């Protein structure tokens, strides 16, 4: 083949110019809702507005997962806050700030695994609740039976009839507590485990002794242990 006939021979080894993609990005500050003590909780990236692609539209609806300990803004965060994850959803963009709203609460994987053990009954319940300001939430609750003081028997299972009664009461308490307040007050109940304490007060009177609550969207544990998310 004669040299010069094939045009590709002259282009061999030519370097392609690469542009750093971060030069097209800009930072936005994530602002938590006023139900949490700390408002500025982090930053996020988005591609700058180019043509019909608007940066603010790409940010709306974005979900951020933040530890509750980071939202409480204390020098010595509580151990009970470190395993709770708060999800915030971007609702609006004002300047370089993202205005978010509460979107959900969950527990870390290691905390959930540490609660599930052998020789006990696990009771699950869920309820769709509506707050006074029109928000609809789905609340999940997990309960665990626990060994009674001075118990000799190896297992501490609950009977099927008892499980049905416990599940029904869990749903009733979740519905009652959520339907009489707005979203801000409901989140305020999740953090200090108010709903779990209400369940404990009920079961202290009944056939199960309940103590030491742990609450998430909601959560608690003990002789009956309650876990909400």
């Amino acid at each position: 083949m004669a040299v010069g006939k094939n045009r590709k021979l002259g282009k061999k080894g030519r370097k392609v110019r690469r542009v750093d993609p971060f030069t097209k990005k800009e930072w936005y500050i994530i602002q938590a809702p006023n139900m949490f003590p700390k408002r500025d909780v982090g930053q996020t990236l988005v591609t700058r507005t180019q043509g019909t692609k608007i940066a603010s539209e790409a940010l709306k609806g974005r979900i951020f997962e933040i530890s509750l300990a980071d939202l409480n803004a204390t020098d010595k965060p509580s151990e009970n806050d470190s395993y709770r994850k708060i999800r915030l959803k971007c609702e609006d963009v004002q300047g370089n700030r993202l205005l978010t709203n509460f979107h959900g609460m969950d527990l870390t994987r290691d905390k959930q695994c540490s609660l599930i053990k052998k020789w006990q009954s696990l009771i699950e319940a869920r309820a769709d609740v509506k707050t006074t300001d029109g928000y609809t939430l789905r609340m999940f609750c997990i309960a665990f039976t626990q060994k009674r003081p001075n118990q000799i028997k190896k297992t501490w299972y609950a009977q099927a009839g008892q499980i049905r009664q416990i599940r029904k009461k869990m749903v009733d308490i979740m519905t009652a507590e959520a339907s009489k307040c707005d979203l801000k007050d409901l989140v305020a109940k999740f953090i200090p485990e108010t709903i779990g304490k209400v369940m404990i007060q009920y079961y202290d009177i009944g056939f199960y002794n309940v103590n030491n609550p742990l609450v998430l969207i909601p959560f608690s544990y003990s002789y009956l242990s309650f876990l909400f998310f």
Side-chain angles (χ1 to χ4, degrees), residues 126-142:
R126 73 175 187 180
D128 292 337
V129 298
K130 191 170 185 179
T131 59
T132 55
D133 51 353
Y135 287 94
T136 302
L137 293 87
R138 176 164 291 173
M139 298 170 63
F140 295 86
C141 178
I142 301 177

Side-chain angles (χ1 to χ4, degrees), residues 117-121 145-148 151 153-158 208:
K117 301 174 184 177
K118 296 190 295 182
W119 320 124
Q120 65 182 7
S121 295
T145 57
Q146 232 180 35
K147 200 171 186 178
R148 292 182 178 274
Q151 180 176 329
K153 188 177 179 181
K154 183 180 180 180
T155 62
W156 44 96
Y157 297 120
Y208 265 104

Side-chain angles (χ1 to χ4, degrees), residues 28-191:
Y28 284 79
I29 300 171
I30 304 167
Q31 187 168 344
N34 57 8
M35 60 188 73
F36 300 104
K38 189 175 181 180
R39 300 299 301 278
D40 295 343
V41 293
Q43 294 181 326
T44 187
L45 278 173
V46 70
T47 305
R48 291 192 184 94
T49 301
Q50 292 181 351
T52 58
K53 294 183 179 180
I54 303 172
S56 60
E57 295 300 321
L59 288 167
K60 289 179 181 178
R62 187 175 289 189
I63 307 296
F64 306 100
E65 194 171 79
I66 304 165
S67 172
L68 181 59
D70 295 333
L71 289 168
N72 281 341
T74 56
D75 295 333
K76 295 181 180 180
S78 172
E79 185 181 345
N80 293 337
D81 297 339
S82 59
Y83 56 77
R84 300 189 189 190
K85 299 181 294 183
I86 304 292
R87 288 192 295 274
L88 303 176
K89 182 178 181 181
C90 179
E91 299 283 352
D92 195 13
V93 181
Q94 292 185 357
N96 67 333
R97 291 184 172 272
L98 306 183
L99 305 184
T100 61
N101 199 2
F102 177 80
H103 190 67
M105 186 186 292
D106 201 353
L107 293 182
T108 57
R109 173 72 176 177
D110 61 316
K111 182 62 179 180
Q112 294 183 44
C113 292
S114 68
L115 294 168
I116 300 173
K117 301 174 184 177
K118 296 190 295 182
W119 320 124
Q120 65 182 7
S121 295
L122 185 148
I123 307 157
E124 296 178 295
R126 73 175 187 180
D128 292 337
V129 298
K130 191 170 185 179
T131 59
T132 55
D133 51 353
Y135 287 94
T136 302
L137 293 87
R138 176 164 291 173
M139 298 170 63
F140 295 86
C141 178
I142 301 177
F144 304 93
T145 57
Q146 232 180 35
K147 200 171 186 178
R148 292 182 178 274
N150 303 320
Q151 180 176 329
I152 300 174
K153 188 177 179 181
K154 183 180 180 180
T155 62
W156 44 96
Y157 297 120
Q159 297 178 358
Q162 293 173 332
I163 290 175
R164 285 193 294 270
Q165 292 179 37
I166 294 167
R167 185 182 293 116
K168 182 179 183 301
K169 194 60 185 180
M170 287 159 63
V171 172
D172 292 343
I173 292 175
M174 285 190 291
T175 305
E177 290 293 322
S179 59
K180 62 184 180 183
C181 60
D182 57 13
L183 181 64
K184 182 179 178 180
D185 293 336
L186 185 59
V187 175
K189 288 182 179 182
F190 293 154
I191 296 172

